[in-house]
Amino acid sequence: MLRSKMCEIGVEIQNVLKRIDVAYGARSKDIKTSKPYLVAVSKTKPVNMIIEAYEAGQRHFGENYVKELVVKAQDPEILQKCPDIKWHFIGHLQNNKINKVVKLPNLHMIQTIDDEKIATGVNAAWEKLDIPNKQPLRVLIQINTSGEEAKNGIQPNEASSLFKYIKENLKNLQLEGIMTIGAFGHDYTTGPNPDFISLMKVHNQICIENEFRPEEVQISMGISNDFDKAIEMGSTIVRVGSSIFGSRVN
Ligand SMILES: *Cc1c(COP(=O)(O)O)cnc(C)c1O
């Protein structure tokens, strides 16, 4: 039987949203972080799939390659059919790419700020940008909770000072919280994911030091194979790709 791709994407999004609700319902009431929302990770997937997801009601999308985000965010069909799309940049940001990213239409958030230099660069680039009704740019600090050398992000014990630095000095940034990618393939029969434990500790420290309530600091953790677990532990932003758009070749 022939089924159109568009229907399938809408169905997958509904499935993921249901799982998000269930996991949120199962979260201990002692964890007072906010209700999670879904960022659909569309990397390597074509524009028509993004439009289908948008038409199914999805608004937040994540991309982690600068080149790809540059093309998609400016795609005429996306601009026309998805006027309220919210792009999250979730890949590694190099200094020489900052200007390319910040000027993109409908850029909602950069999730991968991981040192003072890149934060300062993004702050300056956003300040220079001439767009109507400009608000501070939303950012998250990326934390390398797994300590793997290949992973980007600031070390957990350095996160709270970077947080303070941005809060106090970079007025063009709206610092919303923290993010981790973490090690792949944690075996849950051995217990909770140590990356999630580590990120929640950083969250707690930031809240205490800055006198924020838990729901005031966002936590981006959890992907297709572990977003339920991440939400139960406190995640407020899940980045889900393959469960919505199908597996990727690369
Ligand atoms: C690709 C990617 C995801 C989504 O991974 P899936 O396993 O497809 O859900 C989430 N976060 C980041 C940073 C990614 O690069």
Side-chain angles (χ1 to χ4, degrees):
M1 196 176 74
L2 266 176
R3 279 204 296 157
S4 77
K5 269 257 158 19
M6 23 181 109
C7 285
E8 280 173 30
I9 288 175
V11 168
E12 296 310 336
I13 288 176
Q14 285 313 313
N15 286 339
V16 169
L17 291 175
K18 260 183 233 148
R19 283 170 59 188
I20 288 175
D21 272 352
V22 170
Y24 180 53
R27 180 193 285 172
S28 155
K29 299 301 168 231
D30 297 336
I31 302 172
K32 297 186 162 46
T33 57
S34 58
K35 188 167 193 267
Y37 71 89
L38 170 65
V39 173
V41 177
S42 47
K43 67 183 177 205
T44 80
K45 300 297 179 181
V47 160
N48 68 301
M49 283 191 171
I50 295 171
I51 295 171
E52 293 312 330
Y54 184 93
E55 287 174 350
Q58 181 61 28
R59 289 294 175 269
H60 293 267
F61 290 83
E63 288 283 341
N64 71 333
Y65 303 110
V66 171
K67 258 193 192 161
E68 212 181 329
L69 180 58
V70 165
V71 171
K72 287 174 174 172
Q74 299 181 103
D75 180 272
E77 214 184 343
I78 289 190
L79 286 171
Q80 192 212 335
K81 294 185 174 166
C82 313
D84 192 30
I85 196 165
K86 299 175 198 313
W87 290 109
H88 292 240
F89 184 66
I90 60 173
H92 181 55
L93 187 55
Q94 290 168 299
N95 279 291
N96 61 358
K97 300 284 169 57
I98 290 175
N99 283 311
K100 279 200 171 122
V101 172
V102 296
K103 70 172 191 209
L104 292 174
N106 305 312
L107 178 69
H108 184 76
M109 181 188 278
I110 295 177
Q111 295 204 3
T112 48
I113 300 295
D114 63 359
D115 63 23
E116 280 185 17
K117 192 169 169 218
I118 200 83
T120 306
V122 172
N123 183 71
W126 192 251
E127 180 163 29
K128 270 190 264 157
L129 211 64
D130 184 20
I131 47 173
N133 306 319
K134 192 170 65 176
Q135 301 294 320
L137 176 63
R138 297 172 197 84
V139 298
L140 302 180
I141 293 175
Q142 181 179 358
I143 299 175
N144 184 357
T145 52
S146 59
E148 294 163 286
E149 256 176 59
K151 292 264 159 66
N152 296 299
I154 192 165
Q155 293 307 308
N157 62 1
E158 294 169 356
S160 95
S161 69
L162 179 60
F163 195 96
K164 273 204 195 86
Y165 177 81
I166 295 174
K167 268 266 170 261
E168 285 166 14
N169 300 294
L170 306 181
K171 300 302 175 201
N172 301 293
L173 303 183
Q174 182 182 324
L175 180 53
E176 294 216 327
I178 52 181
M179 171 271 205
T180 187
I181 295 178
F184 293 117
H186 173 67
D187 175 4
Y188 280 92
T189 62
T190 65
N193 188 325
D195 287 301
F196 298 166
I197 293 176
S198 169
L199 198 66
M200 292 309 295
K201 276 190 188 147
V202 174
H203 177 265
N204 188 43
Q205 186 188 0
I206 286 171
C207 287
I208 290 171
E209 290 178 0
N210 298 277
E211 297 185 355
F212 287 130
R213 284 174 286 122
E215 65 270 28
E216 292 178 302
V217 180
Q218 300 272 7
I219 302 152
S220 175
M221 64 182 190
I223 62 174
S224 287
N225 63 14
D226 58 15
F227 70 87
D228 321 71
K229 297 272 196 311
I231 289 169
E232 283 189 40
M233 291 193 64
S235 174
T236 67
I237 302 174
V238 291
R239 311 178 308 267
V240 179
S242 48
S243 287
I244 294 170
F245 298 109
S247 58
R248 291 175 298 271
V249 241
N250 48 344

